[in-house]
Amino acid sequence: MLDGAKPLDVGIPAQVFTTRASMPYEVRVCGAVPGLVTGGDGLSYHVAHGLEALVWADVVFIPGYRFPDRDDPPAAVVDALVAAHRHGTRLAAISTGAFALAATGLLDGRRATTHWHYTRALAAKHPLVRVDENVLFVDEGGVLTSAGAASGIDLCLHMLRGDLGVAASNHAARRLVAAPYRSGGQAQYVPRSVPEPLGERFAATREWALHRLGEPLSLEALARHAAVSPRTFSRRFAEDTGYTPMQWVMRARIDVARELLERSELSVEQIAADVGLGTGANLRLHFQRVLGTTPSEYRRTFARGE
């Protein structure tokens, strides 16, 4: 936590990667030195750990903080982040925490994002960073960044999904009363002077589709349920989710298949039929394309008791 740390940005990773018996994580909060950290929005924090915690950590989150375009992080913080990354620690920035991560030079030549209000400032201050203002989060492997506060939940669930599988991520999302999956490529916001009153209708259509993944689902059927034209549905759906309707349906089917692979002993053929992908060969094809692995390898990695 840096001076001016935003309370929601601090709380999100602490609550997603919660220290509890069902989760294989331990959360520690640190500052440049132990003691009082003056936060943003009227709050201050007493942190128990200093930068030695970065040597211990497998993942380090950098919450957003106030005035990132004016204030550089302390040199000791920058050095500790670089050293942690060198030893294989993942570094993840929420919102304006991207400025502190960029100060390390580790984002040079890489894609990154931050809160939409600060994207131009980040690009100006760190011109070697490829700033993308139109996404919720960016995963560049060892360094990850997310947009404004709530998108930190999306980034954390994305990381949890990679660590423990989709069932654990979905469980955490339910605990947080959060959307279980939002594309990192989804737009941060859609600028409109008068919002179109379709959000609830489209959300209902997505929910309707999730209960019918084993059935044929066409663009026309989805648009018909939302009571709009296929063209309007496609445009607004992409704005809302970051995917075309059929890309979203495929991702939803793959996610259900992942959970069945993790939590059941059903065959690949049966899972393919249950999620609407027809054959095991079709499931393997899309699994490889979306996740870069096979259903069997995925099951070996994430099945219970493994």
Side-chain angles (χ1 to χ4, degrees):
M1 292 174 54
L2 297 167
D3 284 344
K6 295 285 189 174
L8 187 58
D9 296 1
V10 172
I12 286 170
Q15 195 162 353
V16 173
F17 296 91
T18 178
T19 300
R20 59 172 61 194
S22 62
M23 297 281 276
Y25 300 101
E26 179 182 340
V27 178
R28 297 182 187 178
V29 183
C30 75
V33 294
L36 192 67
V37 175
T38 302
D41 304 303
L43 296 179
S44 294
Y45 315 86
H46 190 278
V47 299
H49 303 280
L51 294 174
E52 74 282 353
L54 273 66
V55 178
W56 162 88
D58 295 305
V59 184
V60 173
F61 281 92
I62 310 163
Y65 56 98
R66 299 188 70 190
F67 311 123
D69 49 341
R70 296 192 333 219
D71 301 330
D72 290 325
V77 171
V78 172
D79 291 344
L81 289 170
V82 171
H85 181 265
R86 188 182 303 123
H87 292 119
T89 299
R90 285 179 293 170
L91 306 179
I94 296 178
S95 188
T96 55
F99 282 78
L101 188 51
T104 65
L106 295 171
L107 293 180
D108 289 356
R110 291 174 163 169
R111 285 178 65 239
T113 194
T114 189
H115 189 285
W116 61 266
H117 185 75
Y118 284 97
T119 50
R120 291 185 181 180
L122 180 62
K125 190 174 180 69
H126 299 282
L128 296 181
V129 179
R130 294 160 47 208
V131 179
D132 190 338
E133 63 182 5
N134 295 314
V135 294
L136 292 178
F137 62 83
V138 176
D139 182 347
E140 287 281 284
V143 288
L144 305 93
T145 51
S146 71
S151 64
I153 297 176
D154 299 302
L155 174 62
C156 288
L157 291 176
H158 165 76
M159 296 173 72
L160 189 63
R161 194 178 298 114
D163 285 356
L164 303 182
V166 72
S169 175
N170 287 346
H171 176 75
R174 287 192 293 271
R175 176 165 47 82
L176 296 166
V177 196
Y181 187 80
R182 290 204 298 170
S183 158
Q186 181 173 340
Q188 290 192 31
Y189 73 105
V190 180
R192 286 197 191 89
S193 56
V194 181
E196 298 177 31
L198 294 176
E200 290 186 9
R201 196 189 308 174
F202 277 45
T205 295
R206 290 195 295 272
E207 185 68 21
W208 175 83
L210 286 174
H211 292 287
R212 292 164 176 79
L213 293 174
E215 305 172 10
L217 287 173
S218 65
L219 171 60
E220 290 72 19
L222 294 168
R224 187 163 53 249
H225 183 273
V228 295
S229 71
R231 181 177 179 181
T232 296
F233 185 80
S234 292
R235 175 175 58 82
R236 282 299 310 275
F237 196 95
E239 290 173 355
D240 286 351
T241 68
Y243 290 116
T244 69
M246 302 321 294
Q247 285 174 334
W248 182 89
V249 168
M250 179 57 67
R251 286 274 179 168
R253 285 172 167 157
I254 292 294
D255 266 4
V256 174
R258 289 167 71 175
E259 189 153 3
L260 290 172
L261 287 165
E262 294 169 23
R263 307 183 76 150
S264 79
E265 296 183 0
L266 294 174
S267 69
V268 171
E269 292 289 339
Q270 184 60 57
I271 290 172
D274 289 348
V275 302
L277 288 174
T279 66
N282 200 28
L283 174 60
R284 292 183 188 94
L285 173 67
H286 291 293
F287 221 83
Q288 185 72 46
R289 182 175 58 81
V290 172
L291 299 174
T293 189
T294 66
S296 297
E297 285 293 331
Y298 185 88
R299 173 170 266 166
R300 277 193 286 272
T301 301
F302 290 111
R304 284 182 172 179
E306 297 266 326

